[in-house]
C-alpha cells in the first residue's frame, strides 16, 4: 500500500516526488517521459535559477533530482503510462499500460497536457524548425524576425505580446469572425505598430526549406495569401491528459481537472491535481511545481490525519 501515487514526470510530478520522499511518504512516480511539454524547446530562459537551459536539459535535471531520492520510500516506474484509476474503500488502484497495478491511499495527478497541434501541410515537417507551441519559452529566439501567431484567444494575444518584445513584426491569424481574448488584452496588444491581427482567416500551409519561411492562409472571401515569416507560434488550445480519471473527478468543459487552488484537492476525496492537467489559470513550469508542492503538503497532512 502506497501513501501516494504521483502520475506524471513533468515539473509538477518531479517536485511532488522530491517532497514526498523528504516527508517519508511511501510513494511511487509513474511516467512515460520526463520534462513535460518543455522538452521540445531548444532554449528555455524562464527556468528559475538557470538563465539558459534546453528542454531536454530540464528533463534530465528533473530525472536526476527525483532519482537521488529513490530509495525505500520512493519508487520510480518508467517508461509506463497510467490508463486507469479505480476507487476502492478508502483507497485507490492505479493501473498502467504495461499491466502494473499500485494500491494507494491517495493519488496526485500531474499528467500535464498536450498541445493541440496544427494540422496543415508543413506543420509536422517544421515542428521545432520555426513552428513553436510556447512563446514564453522561445520568443527570444525570434529576435529581428517577422512571425505569425495562430489563434485569437487570450493565449494567442499573450504570445503576441511576448513576441513583440523581440520580433520585427507579429501577425495574428484567427479563424473565427471575432477574437476570443479579453477586450483589454486585445486593445493593449493592437496598440503596437509592429502588430497586425486578422479574423476570418484559415491557415492552409506552412512553407519553408530547412526552416519556416512563409505561411499560406485564406481569407473569408476565398482568396489565398502567402506571407513571409521566420516563425509561427501556434496557440489553438491544449488537451489535458485526464481521460484516464474522467469518471472519478469533476472536469471543466476543456477536460481540465477542477482543483481547489488552496489545497489542489479535486472533487473526489483522496485525489489531488496540479499542473497543466488541472484548471490552473496560467500554464507555466514554475507554477506547476509550486502547485504540486502545495498538493503534496496537503496530502501529507491528510495521510497523517486519516492513515497514521
Amino acid at each position: 500500500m502506497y501513501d501516494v501515487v504521483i502520475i506524471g514526470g513533468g515539473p509538477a510530478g518531479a517536485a511532488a516526488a522530491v517532497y514526498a520522499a523528504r516527508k517519508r511518504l511511501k510513494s511511487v512516480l509513474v511516467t512515460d517521459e520526463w520534462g513535460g511539454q518543455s522538452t521540445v524547446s531548444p532554449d528555455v530562459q524562464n527556468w528559475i535559477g538557470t538563465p539558459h537551459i534546453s528542454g531536454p536539459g530540464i528533463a534530465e535535471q528533473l530525472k536526476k533530482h527525483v532519482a537521488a531520492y529513490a530509495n525505500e520510500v520512493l519508487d520510480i516506474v518508467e517508461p509506463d503510462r497510467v490508463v486507469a484509476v479505480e476507487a476502492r474503500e478508502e483507497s485507490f488502484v492505479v493501473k498502467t499500460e504495461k499491466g502494473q497495478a499500485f494500491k494507494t491511499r491517495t493519488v496526485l495527478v500531474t499528467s500535464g497536457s498536450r498541445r493541440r497541434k496544427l494540422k496543415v501541410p508543413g506543420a509536422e515537417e517544421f515542428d521545432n524548425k520555426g513552428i513553436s507551441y510556447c512563446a514564453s519559452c522561445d520568443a527570444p529566439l525570434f529576435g529581428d524576425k517577422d512571425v505569425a501567431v495562430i489563434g485569437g484567444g487570450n493565449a494567442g494575444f499573450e504570445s503576441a505580446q511576448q513576441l513583440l518584445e523581440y520580433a520585427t513584426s507579429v501577425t495574428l491569424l484567427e479563424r473565427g469572425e471575432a477574437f476570443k481574448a479579453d477586450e483589454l488584452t486585445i486593445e493593449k496588444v493592437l496598440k503596437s505598430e509592429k502588430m497586425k491581427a486578422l479574423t476570418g482567416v484559415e491557415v492552409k500551409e506552412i512553407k519553408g526549406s530547412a526552416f519556416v519561411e512563409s505561411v499560406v492562409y485564406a481569407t473569408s472571401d476565398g482568396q489565398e495569401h502567402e506571407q513571409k515569416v521566420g516563425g509561427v507560434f501556434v496557440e489553438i488550445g491544449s488537451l489535458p491528459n485526464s481521460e484516464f480519471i474522467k469518471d472519478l473527478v469533476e472536469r471543466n468543459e476543456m477536460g481540465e481537472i477542477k482543483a481547489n487552488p488552496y489545497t489542489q484537492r479535486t472533487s473526489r476525496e483522496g485525489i489531488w491535481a496540479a499542473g497543466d492537467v488541472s484548471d490552473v489559470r496560467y500554464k507555466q513550469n514554475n507554477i506547476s511545481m509550486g502547485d504540486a508542492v502545495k498538493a503534496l503538503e496537503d496530502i501529507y497532512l491528510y495521510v497523517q490525519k486519516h492513515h497514521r
Side-chain angles (χ1 to χ4, degrees):
M1 171 74 80
Y2 287 94
D3 290 319
V4 58
V5 171
I6 301 166
I7 302 170
V18 169
Y19 270 72
R22 291 174 62 86
K23 287 182 176 297
R24 310 299 291 177
L25 290 175
K26 180 63 177 172
S27 55
V28 57
L29 181 146
V30 183
T31 185
D32 57 346
E33 62 178 359
W34 294 89
Q37 290 190 46
S38 291
T39 54
V40 302
S41 300
D43 185 17
V44 179
Q45 298 180 13
N46 62 350
W47 185 253
I48 304 304
T50 306
H52 295 272
I53 186 171
S54 69
I58 288 176
E60 188 62 26
Q61 278 191 351
L62 296 176
K63 183 176 181 178
K64 283 183 177 179
H65 199 169
V66 174
Y69 283 94
N71 51 32
E72 69 275 7
V73 295
L74 172 63
D75 295 328
I76 300 172
V77 175
E78 59 154 335
D80 205 348
R81 186 173 64 90
V82 171
V83 294
V85 178
E86 298 176 357
R88 298 286 190 269
E89 188 175 345
E90 295 188 356
S91 68
F92 301 90
V93 175
V94 177
K95 296 184 176 181
T96 75
E97 191 172 52
K98 294 184 177 179
Q100 300 191 75
F102 305 99
K103 191 174 182 181
T104 180
R105 296 182 172 95
T106 68
V107 176
L108 174 54
V109 185
T110 60
S111 48
S113 65
R114 56 198 185 274
R115 293 281 183 171
R116 192 184 298 274
K117 294 287 187 175
L118 183 65
K119 296 186 182 298
V120 299
E124 186 175 351
E125 178 183 354
F126 294 106
D127 196 348
N128 208 32
K129 296 178 182 177
I131 294 180
S132 172
Y133 290 83
C134 182
S136 61
C137 307
D138 297 335
L141 305 178
F142 291 80
D144 301 321
K145 292 187 178 187
D146 299 308
V147 301
V149 174
I150 301 175
N154 280 322
F157 273 88
E158 288 165 5
S159 292
Q161 189 171 21
Q162 295 178 65
L163 288 161
L164 286 169
E165 299 291 331
Y166 303 95
T168 302
S169 71
V170 179
T171 301
L172 185 144
L173 307 174
E174 162 59 32
R175 184 171 185 172
E177 294 304 319
F179 301 122
K180 301 180 182 69
D182 298 331
E183 290 296 328
L184 289 177
T185 302
I186 295 171
E187 183 180 347
K188 182 176 181 180
V189 173
L190 292 184
K191 281 182 179 179
S192 173
E193 295 179 353
K194 300 194 297 181
M195 184 72 199
K196 181 173 73 173
L198 304 174
T199 58
V201 168
E202 183 178 358
V203 176
K204 293 290 189 178
E205 186 178 0
I206 307 296
K207 292 184 176 181
S209 50
F211 207 75
V212 166
E213 295 176 358
S214 67
V215 56
V216 179
Y217 62 88
T219 48
S220 55
D221 58 8
Q223 294 191 19
E224 287 198 358
H225 306 263
E226 183 172 351
Q227 182 167 332
K228 290 186 177 180
V229 293
V232 176
F233 286 78
V234 182
E235 289 292 354
I236 55 176
S238 61
L239 301 171
N241 300 317
S242 63
E243 293 85 355
F244 62 88
I245 202 165
K246 64 181 181 180
D247 295 330
L248 287 184
V249 298
E250 187 176 349
R251 303 187 301 164
N252 63 18
E253 65 277 4
M254 294 177 287
E256 298 168 335
I257 299 173
K258 292 184 178 182
N260 183 334
Y262 187 66
T263 60
Q264 301 304 127
R265 294 190 184 198
T266 70
S267 60
R268 180 83 183 209
E269 183 174 352
I271 301 178
W272 286 251
D276 287 5
V277 74
S278 74
D279 61 349
V280 62
R281 182 173 182 180
Y282 302 109
K283 312 294 188 184
Q284 292 284 323
N285 285 334
N286 301 301
I287 294 172
S288 294
M289 288 189 290
D291 282 353
V293 170
K294 185 199 310 178
L296 202 286
E297 293 281 4
D298 197 57
I299 288 170
Y300 176 75
L301 294 177
Y302 178 88
V303 171
Q304 292 299 313
K305 180 179 179 179
H306 296 282
H307 300 286
R308 289 290 187 268

